[in-house]
């Protein structure tokens, strides 16, 4: 099976712009979670989507949003970019039901966002 | 508020040594504890995970020890190799928290030949 894929891999944006990142989960996986990774704050949970609904949210401002499509693919959007949004954005997918370990999460390679 | 405390921040061992990375948690509602390995430029890769009803779990050269009463768990890497040089993260999931993971700060491991 193919792993979690994320596009684009690298992105450079200017303050004030907005950006959309895409994630394709492992085939059959229904849950998609997003994390932000920075040297200062480490890995922080942004939100989780399941069946096209957000069912979990971290402590990030409303500028960060996401959605999930019927094929489980997900996008996250950051509006009005700030310098502090520069980070590696990681997507993780999990089966979420069935099997011995339904909540195991598998991460994609991430999208490196640089805000100038 | 950091709910999973990981130590040490960095660790250097010689090839064949047994690095040990420790994590402590505060919330007794956590019910799933995975460990991830991350190489530069890559996403975290799931290594091994444990639930609180098990005190030890082994997968290949990786072992998790879990002490429920002390609210601590640790990762041991047997016969470490230079290829194990990476950053390791412990994490925890709250019961009923779906797939939200709370991560430790990470440990940068270097295994010297």
């Amino acid at each position: 099976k193919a792993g979690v894929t994320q596009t684009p891999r690298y992105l450079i944006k200017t303050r004030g712009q907005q950006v959309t990142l895409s994630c394709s989960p492992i085939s059959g996986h229904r849950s998609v979670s997003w994390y932000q990774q920075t040297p200062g704050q480490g890995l922080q949970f942004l939100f989780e989507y399941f069946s096209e609904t957000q069912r979990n949210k971290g402590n990030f401002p409303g500028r960060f949003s996401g959605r999930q499509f019927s094929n489980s693919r997900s996008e996250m959007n950051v509006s009005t970019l700030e310098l502090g949004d520069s980070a590696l954005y990681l997507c993780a997918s999990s089966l979420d039901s069935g099997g011995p370990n339904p909540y195991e999460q598998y991460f994609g390679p991430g999208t490196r966002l640089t805000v100038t | 508020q950091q709910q999973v405390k990981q130590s040490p921040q960095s660790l250097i061992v010689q090839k064949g040594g047994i690095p040990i990375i420790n994590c402590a948690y505060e919330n007794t509602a956590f019910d799933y504890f995975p460990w991830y390995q991350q190489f530069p430029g890559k996403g975290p890769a799931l290594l091994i995970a444990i639930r609180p009803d098990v005190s030890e779990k082994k997968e290949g050269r990786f072992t998790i020890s879990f002490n429920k009463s002390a609210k601590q768990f640790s990762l041991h890497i047997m016969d470490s190799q230079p290829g194990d040089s990476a950053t390791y993260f412990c994490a925890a999931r709250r019961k009923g928290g779906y797939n939200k993971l709370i991560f430790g700060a990470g440990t940068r491991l270097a295994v010297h030949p």
Side-chain angles (χ1 to χ4, degrees):
Chain A
K1 271 186 182 178
V4 178
T5 58
Q6 293 188 245
T7 56
R9 293 292 313 277
Y10 303 92
L11 207 47
I12 300 175
K13 289 287 187 178
T14 304
R15 270 179 303 174
Q17 289 185 315
Q18 74 167 17
V19 66
T20 299
L21 312 181
S22 181
C23 171
S24 292
I26 293 171
S27 178
H29 282 197
R30 303 170 65 195
S31 165
V32 173
S33 297
W34 289 88
Y35 293 82
Q36 181 196 64
Q37 185 174 26
T38 59
Q41 299 298 316
L43 276 153
Q44 292 188 289
F45 175 82
L46 278 156
F47 30 63
E48 177 195 0
Y49 286 87
F50 176 81
S51 290
E52 303 178 64
T53 301
Q54 186 184 91
R55 69 176 182 184
N56 226 336
K57 190 177 188 305
N59 296 323
F60 280 82
R63 300 185 297 107
F64 292 82
S65 63
R67 60 177 175 168
Q68 186 181 35
F69 302 95
S70 58
N71 61 359
S72 294
R73 191 177 68 84
S74 177
E75 290 180 345
M76 69 162 281
N77 183 278
V78 188
S79 63
T80 320
L81 284 166
E82 300 177 359
L83 294 178
D85 297 334
S86 293
L88 180 67
Y89 289 89
L90 293 158
C91 166
S93 75
S94 68
L95 194 61
D96 204 75
S97 66
N101 301 298
Y103 290 105
E104 283 185 352
Q105 288 188 63
Y106 298 89
F107 282 82
T111 294
R112 173 73 62 186
L113 172 65
T114 302
V115 181
T116 62
Chain B
Q1 183 181 359
Q2 186 182 10
Q3 299 183 53
V4 179
K5 296 182 180 179
Q6 184 172 347
S7 62
Q9 191 173 18
S10 62
L11 189 54
I12 299 173
V13 300
Q14 293 297 122
K15 178 182 173 182
I18 304 176
I20 300 172
I21 303 170
N22 301 297
C23 284
Y25 62 96
E26 300 164 357
N27 192 329
T28 56
F30 289 151
D31 70 346
Y32 172 72
F33 303 87
W35 284 89
Y36 285 85
Q37 176 191 58
Q38 187 176 29
F39 292 105
K42 305 288 187 182
L46 180 63
L47 264 181
I48 185 173
I50 198 167
R51 294 189 181 278
D53 54 347
V54 176
S55 61
E56 184 177 274
K57 183 176 181 180
K58 294 182 181 180
E59 284 190 9
R61 295 185 294 108
F62 300 94
T63 298
I64 299 179
S65 297
F66 190 89
N67 186 328
K68 187 175 181 179
S69 61
K71 292 186 283 186
Q72 296 176 345
F73 57 110
S74 59
L75 176 70
H76 301 230
I77 306 175
M78 306 302 177
D79 187 27
S80 59
Q81 301 296 313
D84 295 329
S85 298
T87 300
Y88 293 81
F89 294 93
C90 63
R93 191 198 72 178
R94 183 179 290 111
K95 185 177 181 180
Y98 299 112
N99 288 304
K100 176 181 178 178
L101 291 177
I102 297 168
F103 282 87
T107 296
R108 184 171 293 181
L109 172 66
V111 182
H112 290 177

